[in-house]
Amino acid sequence: MSQPPKTSSSSFHIAMFPWFAIGHITPYIHLANELASRGHRITLLVPNKARLQLQHLVLHADLIVFSPVAVPHVHGLPEGTEIASEIPIHMTHLLATAMDRTRGEIEQFLTVSKLDFVLYDTAQWVPGIARRNGIKTVCYNVVCAAALAIALVPARNVPKDRPITEEELREAPAGYPSKNVVLCGAEAKALTFISLPYGEGITFYERTTTAMKECDVLSIRTCRELEGDLCDYMEAQYKKPVILTGPVLGLGSDKKSEKLEERWEKWFSGFEAGSVVFCAFGTQWILEKEQFQELVLGFELTGLPFFVALKPPSGCATIEEALPNGFEERVKGRGVVFGGWVQQTAILSHKSVGCFVNHCGFGSMWESLMTDNQIVLVPHLGDQILNTKLLVKELKVAVEVEREENGWLSKDSLRKAIKSVMDKDSEVGVMVKKNHAKWVETLSSPGFMSGYIDRFVQKLKEIVN
Ligand SMILES: O=c1ccn([C@@H]2O[C@H](COP(=O)(O)OP(=O)(O)O[C@H]3OC[C@@H](O)[C@H](O)[C@H]3O)[C@@H](O)[C@H]2O)c(=O)[nH]1
């Protein structure tokens, strides 16, 4: 680990130590950019593979430095694993163990650095070290307030001697303020993992609630306009102010997104404005082969041009070997299924894109809200289910693909959802478009995003004084 730069009295030196996942590190980098643009210096403590994948997002290389964390090997994880996108979901608890075993390295860094703040989310042991070194802590959560408020609060009675049940999770904790953003039926299953081990000798619930109890400042990447009542509930539960950063979309002051690769720029430009359906499911979801095939057939059925960026399904080394028979021939010229990394924000702002089919990861949720594309949601993990409720039931800006009782997503159901927002004369399509346009206006109104960051920085100043 490299030596950190020295702090000056006029600005903060802030370390960031987010969960080892692209969906978490990305918003931390966006926040680092915002803080650096206000003169603060940031050291990002992240695994080297994350640095290599995301360093292009850094807009102020003079003030933001990476200090790569050496992730130790943990039995049960593939050799060399550093970030969550490299492993299936059921192995991530072992990655939490690996994160905990970086403690010595992190402690050494925090001890020798002249830091004002450290931001973290998953490493519940950071506040103890920080306190001993006179550093203030911010537990910065990059999932929606709803996911925290429904599952990770003291009022959620998680049994100590057995796993929490789906039935228990379907009941919201006492005082939970939303009637719409709740878990229904089989959805509760997606959150049963909270009472299971996540690291050695600690459950997911224990580590995240400890992380939030022990910090000086509790912070969430959300805005009051979307989740004000849920943030108030979090304040009441944790008995401390909850400071929001707003969506922090990493657009910088010039509002430019990443540049789209030339081959894709050319491909997208071959279609009419607003006609292409783009699909991406974030950095972690690996579909089963059958489900993958059913979904791509659903895109084919829409008759619309489509660009699908998904990981190869489980058991397949490449996308090509996973495609249904004759599929490539049939969709030639109007459909692409790609297994690599694409510049999602650049695609979303391309004029030929008209619809975004996504898993409603918190990053994709904000990115989809910021464009005028129609939104079709296929949530997979617990927080994504709640994000989906926010967009579908509260804001009414999106539709969700209906699943069968056993969780299966049929091609017809996908086709139906896409057509319901893409057909010009569809009532649902018109309604979500209108509601969505109001949100784009709010989110892009002058001072909206920067106001949140300014107030966040102001709060940090009050805390050190
Ligand atoms: O090919 C790609 C894939 C993804 N991305 C970017 O990677 C990010 C993915 O983040 P998301 O939050 O949407 O999704 P992930 O699944 O990766 O996130 C994870 O952490 C955040 C949680 O809310 C999600 O539930 C969890 O899955 C987005 O910013 C997206 O623009 C690309 O730029 N290109």
Side-chain angles (χ1 to χ4, degrees), residues 23-24 282-284 341-342 344 359 361-364 367 381 383-384:
H24 287 237
T283 57
Q284 286 180 255
W341 184 260
V342 292
Q344 178 165 304
H359 68 317
F362 209 41
S364 297
E367 287 160 13
L381 302 179
D383 70 309
Q384 298 160 9

Side-chain angles (χ1 to χ4, degrees), residues 413-429:
S413 173
L414 175 64
R415 182 197 60 82
K416 209 168 120 201
I418 295 173
K419 296 296 267 182
S420 80
V421 293
M422 288 299 273
D423 283 349
K424 294 278 172 291
D425 51 358
S426 155
E427 247 179 67
V428 175

Side-chain angles (χ1 to χ4, degrees), residues 295-307:
L295 288 180
V296 298
L297 290 171
F299 287 106
E300 181 186 354
L301 275 181
T302 62
L304 297 167
F306 62 87
F307 188 104

Side-chain angles (χ1 to χ4, degrees), residues 73-117:
H73 177 67
V74 167
H75 180 70
L77 282 179
E79 201 66 53
T81 301
E82 293 188 1
I83 43 179
S85 50
E86 297 179 283
I87 48 172
I89 295 288
H90 68 264
M91 284 186 187
T92 49
H93 68 103
L94 296 173
L95 190 59
T97 300
M99 178 179 233
D100 291 345
R101 291 185 190 168
T102 66
R103 184 181 176 140
E105 190 184 350
I106 299 300
E107 176 151 20
Q108 210 216 337
F109 179 84
L110 298 185
T111 307
V112 302
S113 311
K114 285 189 163 20
L115 286 164
D116 300 290
F117 287 94

Side-chain angles (χ1 to χ4, degrees), residues 19 21-24 26-27 30 54 89 142-144 221 258 278 280-285 309 340-345 348 358-365 367 381-384 387:
W19 170 232
I22 298 299
H24 287 237
T26 301
H30 293 335
L54 299 175
I89 295 288
V142 295
V143 295
C144 62
R221 180 204 192 185
E258 290 179 81
F278 169 56
F281 288 167
T283 57
Q284 286 180 255
W285 193 1
W341 184 260
V342 292
Q343 292 80 39
Q344 178 165 304
T345 50
L348 289 176
N358 70 91
H359 68 317
C360 216
F362 209 41
S364 297
M365 184 195 98
E367 287 160 13
L381 302 179
D383 70 309
Q384 298 160 9
N387 297 337

Side-chain angles (χ1 to χ4, degrees), residues 117-186:
F117 287 94
V118 55
L119 272 61
Y120 67 99
D121 50 4
T122 306
Q124 83 288 354
W125 38 266
V126 163
I129 301 171
R131 263 194 299 274
R132 285 197 291 284
N133 289 285
I135 305 164
K136 298 286 182 197
T137 48
V138 181
C139 182
Y140 182 46
N141 294 282
V142 295
V143 295
C144 62
L148 304 171
I150 206 164
L152 305 173
V153 288
R156 161 66 68 203
N157 291 320
V158 174
K160 287 212 174 343
D161 51 344
R162 60 168 174 82
I164 193 164
T165 64
E166 289 181 38
E167 200 175 23
E168 285 166 329
L169 278 164
R170 276 194 285 273
E171 192 151 320
Y176 180 80
S178 177
K179 294 269 170 289
N180 287 329
V181 189
V182 290
L183 299 165
C184 310

